[in-house]
């Protein structure tokens, strides 16, 4: 035991003789079944985690997998809008919540499916937000799901820590953009996953380039891509380089993301 130990095992990754073996894992309800959990993360906001989550989920569904999305970005939910979900999640007397389903059958749970108005802000402190995320895992009927994607909030704070400790996360996908500064942000996300003993499945570079509609040339709007160098630096697969595509943007805005026909993922995980 370290001399600086505060006896809070939940915030410590050290294995010592004094460590309490209590489990922080939240239990699924008896009627749910989830085979694989993949979290989509980044050390900063605005890089396109929700977009990547939506594209991965849509791809999995097209491949015949029963797919679900848990929207853990409680203060900035965008998944329902991307999939055109405007209804409200329902529940039963036992407290079980039923997720909404997209056109292709992707199950979705998000705070915006509970709020009276989708534009109402969620002004809650971290522990309350973390509690909602745990409820989304435990109290929602995830029915025979092959892969559940967790759209994470940015950073390495309360909610990512709650997800990593409470859910059986099989691996993370890290989202970045081409700027040099992002390498430092990517390092933070990867190091957090390593500290929590969670595998890094790969890297996705979003807003990587824009393709000229006339000549097909790829224009690096935000500078030269660092994707391959970053993947090599951290010894992880490069899963995709996603361009800036006005069609993709329009389909997200209109709620029809799952009908986008492009597939930028060269590798599976």
């Amino acid at each position: 035991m370290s001399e600086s130990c505060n006896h809070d095992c939940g915030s410590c990754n050290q294995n010592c003789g004094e460590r309490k073996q209590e489990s922080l894992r939240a239990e699924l309800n008896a009627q749910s079944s989830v085979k694989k959990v993949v979290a989509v993360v980044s050390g900063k906001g605005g890089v396109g985690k929700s977009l990547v989550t939506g594209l991965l989920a849509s791809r999995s569904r097209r491949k015949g997998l029963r797919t679900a999305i848990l929207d853990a970005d409680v203060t900035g939910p965008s998944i329902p809008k991307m999939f055109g979900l405007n209804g409200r999640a329902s529940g039963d007397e036992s407290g079980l919540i039923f997720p909404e389903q997209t056109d292709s059958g992707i199950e979705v749970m998000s705070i915006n499916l509970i709020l009276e108005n989708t534009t109402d802000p969620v002004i809650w402190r971290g522990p309350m937000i973390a509690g909602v995320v745990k409820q989304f895992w435990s109290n929602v009927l995830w029915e025979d799901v092959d892969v559940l994607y967790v759209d994470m909030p940015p950073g390495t704070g309360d909610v990512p820590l709650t997800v990593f400790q409470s859910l059986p996360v099989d691996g993370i996908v890290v989202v970045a953009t081409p700027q040099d500064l992002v390498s430092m942000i990517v390092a933070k996300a990867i190091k957090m996953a390593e500290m929590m003993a969670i595998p890094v499945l790969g890297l996705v570079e979003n807003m990587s380039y824009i393709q000229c509609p006339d000549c097909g040339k790829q224009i690096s709007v935000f500078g030269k891509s660092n994707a391959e160098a970053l993947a090599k630096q951290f010894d992880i697969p490069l899963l995709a380089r996603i361009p800036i595509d006005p069609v993709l943007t329009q389909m997200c805005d209109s709620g029809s993301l799952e009908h986008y026909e492009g597939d930028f993922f060269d590798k599976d995980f």
Side-chain angles (χ1 to χ4, degrees), residues 54 57-58 61-62 65 67 69 79-87 99-108 251 254-260:
S58 300
R61 189 71 191 105
R62 284 196 298 270
L65 298 176
T67 307
I69 299 176
I79 290 294
K81 181 174 177 57
M82 287 183 176
F83 287 93
L85 298 175
N86 300 307
E100 288 287 282
Q101 286 200 358
T102 69
D103 290 345
S104 65
I106 300 171
E107 296 182 2
V108 175
M251 294 184 78
S254 64
S256 55
L257 173 63
E258 63 190 319
H259 302 298
Y260 182 73

Side-chain angles (χ1 to χ4, degrees), residues 127-161:
M128 184 175 290
I129 295 174
V132 168
V133 172
K134 291 173 70 173
Q135 286 184 317
F136 283 175
W137 171 254
S138 298
N139 294 4
V140 172
L141 178 60
W142 301 113
E143 199 166 11
D144 194 24
V145 172
D146 292 313
V147 55
L148 180 144
Y149 292 96
V150 183
D151 183 20
M152 300 277 274
T156 55
D158 284 343
V159 175
L161 182 61

Side-chain angles (χ1 to χ4, degrees), residues 129-262:
I129 295 174
V132 168
V133 172
K134 291 173 70 173
Q135 286 184 317
F136 283 175
W137 171 254
S138 298
N139 294 4
V140 172
L141 178 60
W142 301 113
E143 199 166 11
D144 194 24
V145 172
D146 292 313
V147 55
L148 180 144
Y149 292 96
V150 183
D151 183 20
M152 300 277 274
T156 55
D158 284 343
V159 175
L161 182 61
T162 295
V163 170
F164 288 160
Q165 289 183 328
S166 303
L167 276 60
V169 180
D170 294 284
I172 67 167
V173 172
V174 182
V175 183
T177 50
Q179 295 94 329
D180 286 336
L181 175 64
V182 172
S183 61
M184 178 184 70
I185 306 301
V186 169
K188 289 180 181 291
I190 290 177
K191 287 180 179 179
M192 181 179 186
E194 291 174 347
M195 291 174 67
M196 306 301 294
I198 295 175
V200 180
L201 303 176
L203 174 70
V204 174
E205 184 179 70
N206 189 32
M207 297 180 277
S208 188
Y209 59 89
I210 188 168
Q211 189 161 358
C212 176
D214 296 322
C215 67
K217 180 181 178 180
Q218 293 184 1
I219 303 169
S220 301
V221 180
F222 295 112
K224 184 179 178 182
S225 171
N226 290 316
E228 291 185 4
L230 273 175
K232 184 176 181 181
Q233 177 184 346
F234 296 108
D235 193 26
I236 57 176
L238 175 60
L239 301 176
R241 293 178 61 223
I242 301 175
I244 300 170
D245 184 351
V247 174
L248 181 56
T249 301
Q250 188 276 328
M251 294 184 78
C252 287
D253 289 343
S254 64
S256 55
L257 173 63
E258 63 190 319
H259 302 298
Y260 182 73
E261 296 181 353

